[in-house]
Amino acid sequence: RVSSATSLSSAIINARLQELVKLFKERTEKVKEKLTDPDATSDDESPTTSPAKSAPAAAPVPPPAGEPEGDKPAGDEHYCEMLCCTFKHRPWLDRLKKYQFPSSIDPLTNLMYVLWLFFVVMAWNWNCWLIPVRWAFPYQTPANIHCWLAMDYLCDLIYLLDILVFQTRLQFVRGGDIITDKKAMKENYLRSQRFKMDVVCLLPLDFFYFKVGVNPLLRFPRCLKYMAFFEFNNRLEAILSKAYIYRVIRTTAYLLYSLHVNSCLYYWASAYEGLGSTTWVYDGEGNSYIRCYYWAVKTLITIGGLPDPKTLFEIVFQLLNYFTGVFAFSVMIGQMRDVVGAATAGQTYYRSCMDSTIKYMNFYKIPKTVQSRVKTWYEYTWHSQGMLDELELLVQLPDKMRLDIAIDVNYNIVSKVALFQGCDRQMIFDMLKRLRSVVYLPNDYVCKKGEIGREMYIIQAGQVQVLGGPEGKTVLVTLKAGSVFGEISLLAAGGGNRRTANVVAHGFANLFILDKKDLNEILVHYPESQKLLRKKAKKMLKTGNKPKDEKAAPGDPLIIPPKADTPKLFQAALAATGRMGSKGPLAQLRWRLKELKAMQA
């Protein structure tokens, strides 16, 4: 029994050791791949959590009899205190109890703060729109006064929470540093102009209700919380992809609110003069708010057709209305024009560029086929990219932000190029910033056979075809998005970087282009990468990029051009000198050539 137990334990130990050796070998292979290619990342380098540490609070359900643990179907785990099941997430009530409010809030990026500003703005709009209505129109009665007061104090509670909870936790910048200290954030808010306005907004004038009754005008200071409204506009415009739509809606709301206030003033003036006392005032029939709003629209927009005022009060009121209407309406029209103009600025720029190009082509009598292709290029480039030149947009950004955008857009494609694998990562980053986007139309020649190659091409979208054969029309291969061609031309020696085939766009193709001059400027700062690239280019020319059964043409790109052959006449003279002996100038020249060959060997 002792011997059988010993053999069993030794077998277990041997199996465990073999498993460890296998794991170490896999780890070694991953490290070798990482050292060979720094751009490659392993799929899973972090060790998995042991079951003992990752087990939930409830005990796991044992598998049924006859079913192995590894074959247990993976279902949706959830959290529960019972032994019948295991839960991945706790119920929402428990998570809500354990939720901790953040100690500091970033007002620029925190979406929760934007949502809170929405509720604050809704409370502010309640006061701005309904205080004039309750003051002028007889909509606030003793029967519904409790509903109005409940909504008023709910808005006051939102104002109070904004002061005590949110504004005292807002981060701010001091001397370039982001301040997140609680005491510093609170002091910064208490010293700000916004705190003073927030205090004025919550002045407890409601105590005068006991003396003068529930007068809505006593709540007028609640309308002074306009800073939250403008802050909400800025944050919302930064989030929306089409902010001009919100700007149009907001400008329209400004116009509607001015008409709303004017209708309230007209009903108040009619009540002051006496409803139906003259032909100018409201006669008290129909819906009072709709009738007064209709009168305000005709007055502010100066449509005309209104009854003439009779009394001095009516004349002065109407004159003020006309002056205010002309001024307010002109401001609204100007603001709406600016909003629409800013929304269509890109489209206007595109149309102006296209019109100028068409005018230029008509002046020089360019053929219609060429003009049609130019128009097609303008239309496709604008609809596919939303701009004519990406560099015009990115040139305004700092160098670091341009690099971040270039990495997100192009790094996955460039890092897969065989020529650049193993190079300095920073060199590739510098190269990404030099890439420029070009759109080719269907059947456009990207490059032609025999021309000097000065660029490398990366296909971002679309396809290109490599043509060959006797007539140059046979499709040798079709390259799709993510493919790269022309990279050897960047490193070929002068005179040896001619294209070896025709490349034609198959449909619309969007390509990234890297210029040879830009790459040379970058490689000056990375000599090791330059040596590696030249070595790779030479190897690719000898093995991969040239067919084995085809002799090299004079125009083939060569890193090191071959040595010229000795002229036949000179070879005959050297042979004659050999027969004449070692005397004479030709014999000495032959002896010098032998020495040079020996030194070269």
Side-chain angles (χ1 to χ4, degrees):
R1 292 181 179 177
V2 174
S3 61
S4 61
T6 304
S7 61
L8 181 60
S9 61
S10 62
I12 294 175
I13 293 174
N14 289 333
R16 182 58 179 166
L17 287 176
Q18 291 178 1
E19 184 180 356
L20 290 175
V21 170
K22 183 180 178 181
L23 292 175
F24 279 126
K25 284 183 179 180
E26 292 178 357
R27 183 68 175 176
T28 304
E29 292 296 331
K30 290 181 180 180
V31 172
K32 284 183 179 180
E33 292 178 2
K34 188 69 176 179
L35 293 177
T36 304
D37 186 5
D39 295 329
T41 56
S42 59
D43 296 334
D44 187 12
E45 294 185 358
S46 58
T48 56
T49 309
S50 61
K53 295 181 180 179
S54 61
V61 182
E67 181 181 349
E69 290 189 35
D71 298 334
K72 185 176 68 173
D76 293 337
E77 293 184 356
H78 45 283
Y79 183 86
C80 183
E81 297 297 337
M82 297 183 294
L83 297 178
C84 61
C85 53
T86 50
F87 282 91
K88 182 183 292 185
H89 300 294
R90 290 177 177 269
W92 65 270
L93 188 58
D94 293 344
R95 283 187 290 168
L96 186 62
K97 291 179 181 178
K98 294 187 177 182
Y99 176 75
Q100 293 182 355
F101 199 80
S103 59
S104 63
I105 300 174
D106 185 3
L108 301 178
T109 60
N110 196 319
L111 296 180
M112 182 189 66
Y113 179 65
V114 178
L115 180 61
W116 171 253
L117 285 178
F118 170 76
F119 291 110
V120 176
V121 170
M122 292 299 294
W124 178 74
N125 275 280
W126 168 271
N127 292 316
C128 291
W129 285 79
L130 293 178
I131 286 177
V133 172
R134 294 160 60 187
W135 165 73
F137 291 91
Y139 292 152
Q140 178 177 299
T141 61
N144 60 16
I145 189 64
H146 58 280
C147 298
W148 293 104
L149 292 179
M151 288 299 302
D152 288 344
Y153 294 133
L154 178 61
C155 295
D156 293 349
L157 178 61
I158 294 176
Y159 281 16
L160 189 62
L161 289 177
D162 182 58
I163 295 175
L164 299 178
V165 179
F166 285 88
Q167 296 301 321
T168 56
R169 286 178 166 85
L170 292 185
Q171 301 173 6
F172 66 98
V173 179
R174 178 194 295 165
D177 297 331
I178 300 177
I179 307 301
T180 58
D181 181 67
K182 292 183 179 180
K183 184 177 180 181
M185 291 186 295
K186 186 176 180 179
E187 292 177 354
N188 178 70
Y189 172 63
L190 294 179
R191 290 195 303 264
S192 64
Q193 182 70 22
R194 183 165 182 171
F195 172 72
K196 300 175 183 178
M197 296 300 298
D198 290 345
V199 171
V200 173
C201 289
L202 287 177
L203 286 178
L205 300 181
D206 298 20
F207 289 108
F208 288 98
Y209 286 171
F210 298 104
K211 186 174 183 180
V212 298
V214 182
N215 190 347
L217 286 181
L218 294 176
R219 294 187 56 81
F220 180 76
R222 306 295 191 272
C223 300
L224 299 180
K225 201 174 178 63
Y226 58 90
M227 291 185 178
F229 172 70
F230 290 115
E231 183 182 8
F232 174 72
N233 292 334
N234 296 333
R235 301 291 176 263
L236 189 61
E237 289 179 6
I239 295 174
L240 297 176
S241 58
K242 295 182 179 180
Y244 64 89
I245 298 178
Y246 174 72
R247 297 190 190 107
V248 171
I249 296 174
R250 185 182 62 201
T251 306
T252 306
Y254 290 160
L255 177 62
L256 296 178
Y257 182 74
S258 61
L259 295 173
H260 169 78
V261 173
N262 194 31
S263 63
C264 295
L265 291 175
Y266 175 65
Y267 186 87
W268 168 81
S270 300
Y272 178 79
E273 286 285 303
L275 298 179
S277 58
T278 62
T279 57
W280 180 83
V281 300
Y282 169 60
D283 55 4
E285 297 180 359
N287 189 295
S288 57
Y289 181 77
I290 298 298
R291 297 278 184 129
C292 294
Y293 201 91
Y294 173 75
W295 182 91
V297 171
K298 295 182 66 175
T299 303
L300 286 184
I301 304 180
T302 61
I303 295 177
L306 296 172
D308 296 331
K310 302 300 182 181
T311 64
L312 179 62
F313 175 80
E314 295 175 357
I315 294 174
V316 173
F317 186 89
Q318 189 71 353
L319 287 175
L320 293 177
N321 250 327
Y322 280 139
F323 289 141
T324 305
V326 171
F327 176 75
F329 195 68
S330 60
V331 170
M332 297 299 172
I333 293 297
Q335 189 171 2
M336 188 68 74
R337 182 203 61 190
D338 295 339
V339 170
V340 176
T344 59
Q347 186 75 17
T348 304
Y349 173 73
Y350 156 70
R351 295 302 311 176
S352 64
C353 291
M354 190 170 181
D355 293 342
S356 301
T357 305
I358 293 174
K359 183 179 180 181
Y360 173 84
M361 292 189 296
N362 291 332
F363 179 78
Y364 286 99
K365 299 180 180 179
I366 305 297
K368 294 296 182 182
T369 56
V370 179
Q371 293 191 23
S372 177
R373 293 182 66 82
V374 171
K375 294 177 183 178
T376 304
W377 181 88
Y378 266 105
E379 293 177 359
Y380 177 78
T381 304
W382 175 257
H383 290 298
S384 62
Q385 299 181 171
M387 63 190 73
L388 297 179
D389 189 4
E390 295 179 354
L391 297 179
E392 293 182 0
L393 175 66
L394 300 179
V395 73
Q396 304 174 359
L397 299 176
D399 188 70
K400 180 63 173 61
M401 291 186 179
R402 288 204 304 270
L403 176 60
D404 293 341
I405 294 177
I407 290 174
D408 292 336
V409 176
N410 307 327
Y411 182 74
N412 290 334
I413 299 177
V414 177
S415 61
K416 296 176 183 177
V417 180
L419 184 64
F420 299 124
Q421 289 182 0
C423 293
D424 193 313
R425 187 185 295 265
Q426 189 59 41
M427 188 215 76
I428 297 179
F429 289 167
D430 293 343
M431 189 176 63
L432 292 176
K433 294 186 292 184
R434 303 297 183 97
L435 294 177
R436 53 190 177 90
S437 178
V438 178
V439 175
Y440 288 90
L441 301 183
N443 301 322
D444 272 355
Y445 277 90
V446 180
C447 58
K448 294 184 178 182
K449 183 177 181 179
E451 69 179 10
I452 303 298
R454 301 184 180 89
E455 301 94 3
M456 178 192 76
Y457 301 92
I458 303 174
I459 304 177
Q460 182 192 19
Q463 298 179 357
V464 298
Q465 293 178 339
V466 181
L467 305 181
E471 299 180 358
K473 295 183 179 180
T474 304
V475 179
L476 302 179
V477 66
T478 300
L479 303 177
K480 299 182 180 180
S483 302
V484 180
F485 60 95
E487 66 270 25
I488 305 300
S489 300
L490 297 179
L491 300 171
N497 54 348
R498 295 184 179 274
R499 303 293 187 187
T500 58
N502 296 328
V503 180
V504 181
H506 182 62
F508 291 96
N510 195 340
L511 307 182
F512 285 123
I513 296 179
L514 177 63
D515 193 80
K516 182 176 182 179
K517 180 182 176 182
D518 294 336
L519 182 62
N520 290 336
E521 292 177 357
I522 295 172
L523 290 179
V524 171
H525 306 286
Y526 303 96
E528 296 298 329
S529 298
Q530 186 177 14
K531 295 178 183 178
L532 179 61
L533 287 177
R534 292 192 182 279
K535 185 184 300 183
K536 282 189 174 185
K538 185 176 180 180
K539 183 178 179 181
M540 293 173 69
L541 277 174
K542 289 182 178 180
T543 59
N545 285 22
K546 184 164 57 178
K548 295 181 180 180
D549 57 346
E550 182 182 345
K551 295 183 179 180
D556 288 344
L558 296 175
I559 303 298
I560 302 176
K563 183 179 178 181
D565 296 334
T566 305
K568 294 182 179 180
L569 182 61
F570 191 55
Q571 290 179 359
L574 291 177
T577 304
R579 292 193 295 268
M580 291 172 59
S582 59
K583 296 181 180 181
L586 290 176
Q588 294 180 2
L589 183 59
R590 184 181 181 186
W591 179 75
R592 288 288 182 89
L593 287 174
K594 286 183 178 181
E595 284 189 346
L596 288 175
K597 288 182 178 179
M599 291 175 62
Q600 288 180 358

